[in-house]
Amino acid sequence: MSRTTTIRPRFATRTLLLHLATVALVVALCTGVYLAVAVQQLRAEAESTALGIARTLAEDPQVRAEVALISAANDAPDAESLRDGDLQRIAMGVSARTGALFVVITDEDGIRLAHPISSRIGEVVSTPFEEVLEGNEIVDWQTGTLGESARAKVPVRDDAGTPVGEISVGFERTGVFDDLPPLLAVIGLTALGALALAALAFLVLRGRWERLTLGVQPEELVALVQNQTAVLNGVDDGVLAVDTAGIVRVSNDAADRMLGLDTAVGRPLAELGLPSAVLETVTGDRMRSSAVVDDRVLYLDSRPVVRDGRALGDVLIVRDRTDLIALTERLETVRTMTAALRVQRHEFANRMHVAAGLIDAERVADARAFLGELVERGSVAFPVTGLDLLGDPFLHSFLGAKGVEAGERGVALRIADETQLVGSVAAPEDVAAVLGNLIDNAVTAAVAGERSPRWVEVAVLGDGDALVVTVADSGAGLGDVDPLSPRPSSDARTRENSSTSEDATGPGDADTGVHGHGIGLPLAREIARRSGGELWIIDPGGAHHGAVFAARISGAVSPITTAQKENP
């Protein structure tokens, strides 16, 4: 069964038709009003002219005398004598000069004393005359023996002022409206000109509209707005769209939240106080970059918007990579520990082979001595001085693995004598992320420094359920750079690490060569703050050591119980 599809005209066509219909209606109303006024004016002019002629004729002395004389006679007037009389001659003369349809003179009984049709002289007029003989003037449109006309009736008075007859002057309807056809032609041409001008104006406006909307119809615009709202507010990524003039046109909730914006739409991009990395990326100077904004690691991706070969602006995609980077750093820490433990497991297996060989050779005393030595110094030998000060197995293994990694780079990791921790680590992931970042940065600074030997010193202290760590190194120190404060070229709430690849935000700051030029320290501070702790700088460096950092991680230590004290 076939279905008939109704093709709906385009919005521009419908608007044009509505526009023209509106203009046509307005023109029709104006034309109607103008015609009504013109007709009324023509009627008024005809009535005024008729009244003026009637008054003039009624004041004529000869007319007044003749009418008064006829009215004073008791006998009926002689029609034959009136047809050739002065009144008929006067009436016909006035009618010929003024173009009136008729000029009628009657006596006080309404008998015609003068009439355009002489055969009707002596007869009573066909229209009422009583009111005129009472002394009133009448101007009206009436239908008589000569048809409809605009007529004026004026009383004729004798010397005493008494009405003794009437003068009736009328103009034919067709004569009154002789000027109407040319007037209608002018009005019609004006109306057509108005419609043509309206059509031309709309064509210009439609062209401008099409250029502004890129040919998108209003129905499509509604769908675009609905889809845009649903999509922009339905994703976790931030979207910031800027036109070619640098004005923000779109900013979804995620972008406002991650970039700290408030009512950004409609404002110039330069006035929003965004970090330089964001400004450079959104304006196309960089395709991709990363930045730390309010201790959040953000990945920025800029893409130009082009339609039909015309550049419309740029769109910035903002992704929050904080959790991913933190997880990457923790996994990197675990990988480092796993690699170190694998090597040491191999070393321990070798020692077990030595012990087994001594036993197989029946050198039991030597095997016992060898095993006793292993028990005394531990099964795994980490290259970390003072590691025995740590009773927590996690910190023991973690710092041991870090010591192996630092040793590979020519840096000695040591545990400070003031280290004291009562209890065990309860938040190993947070501790590994924060302490691992500090140690990685310290190792990198020690490698970049000129002091020899190169070293990194770690102190671990317990403060109730909080873990307090300090990390010092033999590097050159921070100098005038504060990695936990904004750099001079950056926004007051931002540290940046920009690159052309997504992999620029690797774990820690090891790829930068100095403290704080990556995202490790801000991220470590953000992790410490989540637990109610903090990360700060104790000493930027001096003549005998490099920078000293400290971090406090609340809730990271489980205090040792009484049962654990009694049964260690």
Side-chain angles (χ1 to χ4, degrees):
M1 181 178 180
S2 62
R3 177 180 297 178
T4 302
T5 302
T6 302
I7 300 178
R8 190 179 185 185
R10 289 170 59 87
F11 178 80
T13 303
R14 299 199 306 270
T15 305
L16 174 60
L17 295 177
L18 179 61
H19 181 75
L20 292 178
T22 303
V23 173
L25 179 60
V26 172
V27 170
L29 290 175
C30 294
T31 301
V33 172
Y34 186 78
L35 282 176
V37 172
V39 170
Q40 185 64 29
Q41 184 176 0
L42 291 175
R43 290 170 60 99
E45 289 179 357
E47 293 172 354
S48 176
T49 302
L51 180 62
I53 294 172
R55 284 177 176 174
T56 301
L57 194 57
E59 293 296 328
D60 184 88
Q62 185 178 357
V63 173
R64 292 178 59 188
E66 291 284 343
V67 173
L69 180 62
I70 294 173
S71 297
N74 293 326
D75 297 333
D78 183 11
E80 290 297 332
S81 61
L82 291 176
R83 292 187 182 100
D84 298 326
D86 293 336
L87 293 179
Q88 177 69 3
R89 178 180 52 79
I90 294 173
M92 294 302 292
V94 171
S95 177
R97 290 191 301 271
T98 59
L101 175 63
F102 61 85
V103 175
V104 177
I105 304 175
T106 68
D107 61 7
E108 62 183 0
D109 295 324
I111 297 174
R112 298 185 181 101
L113 304 179
H115 193 273
I117 302 175
S118 59
S119 60
R120 294 184 178 180
I121 296 176
E123 298 177 358
V124 178
V125 295
S126 60
T127 56
F129 59 89
E130 291 81 5
E131 186 176 356
V132 178
L133 294 177
E134 292 177 0
N136 300 317
E137 294 181 347
I138 297 177
V139 180
D140 197 4
W141 285 76
Q142 293 180 347
T143 301
T145 57
L146 298 178
E148 185 180 8
S149 60
R151 62 185 64 191
K153 296 181 180 182
V154 177
V156 179
R157 302 177 185 273
D158 58 11
D159 294 337
T162 303
V164 293
E166 72 169 358
I167 303 294
S168 178
V169 178
F171 285 90
E172 189 178 7
R173 168 182 284 275
T174 55
V176 172
F177 298 111
D178 285 343
D179 295 334
L180 196 57
L183 185 61
L184 289 175
V186 172
I187 293 175
L189 291 176
T190 304
L192 291 177
L195 291 175
L197 182 61
L200 179 62
F202 179 78
L203 291 176
V204 174
L205 290 176
R206 185 177 69 172
R208 175 65 175 169
W209 188 350
E210 294 286 346
R211 289 193 297 272
L212 290 177
T213 61
L214 304 177
V216 180
Q217 298 301 306
E219 299 87 347
E220 299 172 335
L221 289 176
V222 173
L224 285 176
V225 171
Q226 293 174 342
N227 295 337
Q228 173 184 296
T229 303
V231 171
L232 292 181
N233 294 327
V235 297
D236 294 331
D237 293 343
V239 178
L240 187 72
V242 182
D243 62 13
T244 53
I247 306 299
V248 177
R249 295 305 179 188
V250 176
S251 180
N252 66 348
D253 295 340
D256 292 342
R257 182 181 67 254
M258 286 187 274
L259 297 177
L261 303 178
D262 184 20
T263 61
V265 176
R267 296 171 59 189
L269 184 68
E271 297 181 0
L272 299 180
L274 293 173
S276 59
V278 178
L279 293 176
E280 293 174 1
T281 304
V282 76
T283 54
D285 293 341
R286 297 175 181 173
M287 291 300 296
R288 295 179 180 178
S289 66
S290 59
V292 179
V293 180
D294 292 335
D295 298 325
R296 304 295 294 175
V297 180
L298 303 181
Y299 171 70
L300 310 174
D301 186 4
S302 177
R303 300 178 184 178
V305 180
V306 179
R307 183 183 176 94
D308 297 332
R310 176 185 173 189
L312 303 180
D314 297 274
V315 173
L316 178 69
I317 307 298
V318 185
R319 297 185 178 95
D320 191 343
R321 300 284 301 277
T322 305
D323 295 335
L324 180 60
I325 295 299
L327 180 60
T328 301
E329 292 191 351
R330 290 168 180 169
L331 291 177
E332 179 67 18
T333 301
V334 173
R335 187 194 63 79
T336 302
M337 291 176 56
T338 302
L341 292 176
R342 185 182 297 111
V343 173
Q344 292 161 11
R345 180 181 62 83
H346 181 70
E347 179 185 355
F348 178 74
N350 290 338
R351 294 175 181 178
M352 292 299 99
H353 285 305
V354 172
L358 293 173
I359 294 174
D360 291 340
E362 297 181 354
R363 296 170 59 182
V364 178
D366 292 337
R368 185 181 297 278
F370 180 73
L371 291 175
E373 181 182 355
L374 291 181
V375 170
E376 180 179 352
R377 69 180 184 182
S379 57
V380 180
F382 288 110
V384 179
T385 303
L387 193 59
D388 55 347
L389 296 175
L390 294 171
D392 180 74
F394 169 76
L395 285 178
H396 190 280
S397 300
F398 178 73
L399 292 177
K402 284 295 182 183
V404 174
E405 189 178 67
E408 294 176 352
R409 303 182 64 184
V411 179
L413 178 65
R414 65 194 187 199
I415 308 301
D417 295 336
E418 60 267 22
T419 292
Q420 183 178 9
L421 176 64
V422 179
S424 59
V425 174
E429 291 185 354
D430 290 345
V431 172
V434 175
L435 185 56
N437 263 303
L438 294 178
I439 294 176
D440 288 342
N441 286 343
V443 171
T444 301
V447 172
E450 298 181 356
R451 291 191 181 95
S452 183
R454 297 181 175 91
W455 53 266
V456 172
E457 184 176 82
V458 178
V460 181
L461 299 171
D463 184 11
D465 66 345
L467 180 70
V468 180
V469 297
T470 62
V471 179
D473 60 70
S474 61
L478 300 176
D480 296 332
V481 178
D482 184 356
L484 297 180
S485 297
R487 295 187 295 176
S489 62
S490 178
D491 180 75
R493 52 191 172 87
T494 306
R495 274 82 47 208
E496 306 167 20
N497 176 36
S498 301
S499 175
T500 57
S501 73
E502 184 177 347
D503 298 331
T505 55
D509 296 300
D511 59 339
T512 62
V514 290
H515 281 287
H517 282 220
I519 60 174
L521 285 177
L523 181 60
R525 183 176 66 173
E526 196 272 336
I527 294 174
R529 286 177 173 178
R530 286 182 184 177
S531 65
E534 185 55 274
L535 188 150
W536 66 96
I537 301 172
I538 295 179
D539 190 340
H544 303 290
H545 60 79
V548 181
F549 285 82
R552 176 186 178 89
I553 308 173
S554 300
V557 176
S558 295
I560 190 170
T561 62
T562 304
Q564 290 174 328
K565 292 180 181 180
E566 294 176 353
N567 299 289

